[in-house]
Amino acid sequence: MGARLREMQIAQELGTSQTPVREAFRELAALGILETRSHTGTRVREVGARDLEDAVPVRAALEGLAGRLAAGHLAGRAHELAEALEFLEEAALSENRLALANASTQFHRAVVRGAENESLMRAWNALGIEVMTVVTLLSLQSPLSEIPGHHRPIYEAIQAGDADAAERILTSHVAHYEPTFASAAVDGR
């Protein structure tokens, strides 16, 4: 397990009360970044290659479903998705992997939000998508400039209201990154 975090210490360092720190801990735990256990406190969640490999097919299934549902809700009005795609394109130009990871997460979150299904959103968040995306992009060997092109067909299918294509493209898109985790495990990352 990762580093232990202490609410009071962080609140003192930030010059605030414990309440906003506690709320931040809850949000980070919901995103899968922190783990809170009774009697041991809150710690940064350690994520191994196996965790990431196990999450890929689950994420692919969830995002495929999200794409199918989002195509029904966002056809002809996928404005948030278009904005997220622009942000992704700008981040790719910067060659900043963390900015690109943030932009990719924003894009995928817009798809899941577009599905308008709270159970789906909770399940997707529980996978720790932010961590998964950062690890993927840090270990990715292909040029960062290619990443927006992998996302454009997702946007186009949802914008067109093509539920079958959106599901197929998203499932394939997410599953494409599984070898990245396998190589990270071999490399010891």
Side-chain angles (χ1 to χ4, degrees):
M1 198 178 280
R4 183 162 186 227
L5 302 175
R6 293 178 172 78
E7 271 181 34
M8 187 177 297
Q9 179 184 356
I10 292 172
Q12 288 172 346
E13 289 174 8
L14 296 174
T16 186
S17 70
Q18 285 181 259
T19 302
V21 174
R22 188 173 300 122
E23 285 301 312
F25 278 15
R26 281 191 199 121
E27 288 180 33
L28 291 170
L31 294 172
I33 296 169
L34 298 182
E35 292 179 334
T36 302
R37 296 185 183 166
S38 14
H39 308 297
T40 61
T42 302
R43 295 183 181 274
V44 175
R45 180 176 162 237
E46 287 189 11
V47 180
R50 177 64 191 245
D51 295 320
L52 297 170
E53 289 173 31
D54 288 350
V56 169
V58 176
R59 180 180 177 185
L62 290 174
E63 289 202 27
L65 175 60
R68 171 171 287 289
L69 296 174
H73 296 293
L74 300 178
R77 55 185 185 88
H79 311 298
E80 182 183 359
L81 210 51
E83 289 175 13
L85 184 58
E86 282 182 40
F87 182 45
L88 188 62
E89 290 167 345
E90 291 168 10
L93 290 174
S94 75
E95 292 289 319
N96 179 328
R97 288 180 186 270
L98 292 178
L100 191 59
N102 182 39
S104 179
T105 300
Q106 181 182 6
F107 179 88
H108 287 270
R109 186 176 305 285
V111 172
V112 176
R113 198 173 18 253
E116 298 181 13
N117 184 311
E118 286 301 315
S119 293
L120 178 60
M121 179 61 88
R122 281 191 300 274
W124 186 80
N125 279 331
L127 291 174
I129 300 301
E130 285 80 359
V131 173
M132 194 177 197
T133 304
V134 167
V135 170
T136 298
L137 290 177
L138 289 176
S139 58
L140 193 65
Q141 300 301 313
S142 59
L144 299 183
S145 60
E146 293 179 2
I147 300 217
H150 298 166
H151 291 75
R152 182 160 292 286
I154 298 165
Y155 163 74
E156 290 170 352
I158 291 172
Q159 177 69 7
D162 188 339
D164 290 337
E167 181 174 24
R168 183 182 67 255
I169 294 166
L170 263 159
T171 301
S172 174
H173 170 79
V174 173
H176 165 78
Y177 291 103
E178 189 167 20
T180 302
F181 300 137
S183 68
V186 169
D187 295 343
R189 287 184 262 163

